[in-house]
Amino acid sequence: MVRIPLTGPERRRGELLGAALRQARGTRSMAEVATAAGISAETLRKIETGRIATPAFFTVSALAGALGLSLDELAARCAEQERWSSGARLAG
């Protein structure tokens, strides 16, 4: 199966999701959060670093639940990451 390459905006959304999840994880270990979400720590690492830019909906939902967030709260955190990173890019 051939995967269609991701667009720039799709990659960017994946990076923002990863940053929001990393921030929400705080001091909890990847293994702890991944186990609670029912995924591998390696999968969580790839999501947090943007290597999996478009994780499945059920994976995002499970991660949000493991972190005690609603999907709305997670979306708001992604938007916050976008505002923060846009400001950093403009300032730099």
Side-chain angles (χ1 to χ4, degrees), residues 9-53:
E10 287 170 331
R11 283 192 303 277
R12 181 75 187 129
R13 282 193 303 270
E15 292 168 0
L16 293 171
L17 173 63
L21 289 169
R22 172 63 189 100
Q23 180 187 35
R25 185 166 56 84
T27 60
R28 293 173 65 184
S29 72
M30 276 190 182
E32 178 185 349
V33 172
T35 298
I39 63 172
S40 71
E42 178 66 11
T43 297
L44 178 55
R45 184 186 66 76
K46 287 178 180 178
I47 293 169
E48 284 189 359
T49 60
R51 288 193 54 220
I52 298 177

Side-chain angles (χ1 to χ4, degrees), residues 47-61:
I47 293 169
E48 284 189 359
T49 60
R51 288 193 54 220
I52 298 177
T54 58
F57 177 79
F58 78 90
T59 302
V60 175
S61 179

Side-chain angles (χ1 to χ4, degrees), residues 12 81-92:
R12 181 75 187 129
Q81 286 292 328
E82 174 64 17
R83 284 190 300 277
W84 182 86
S85 64
S86 293
R89 284 195 310 263
L90 292 175

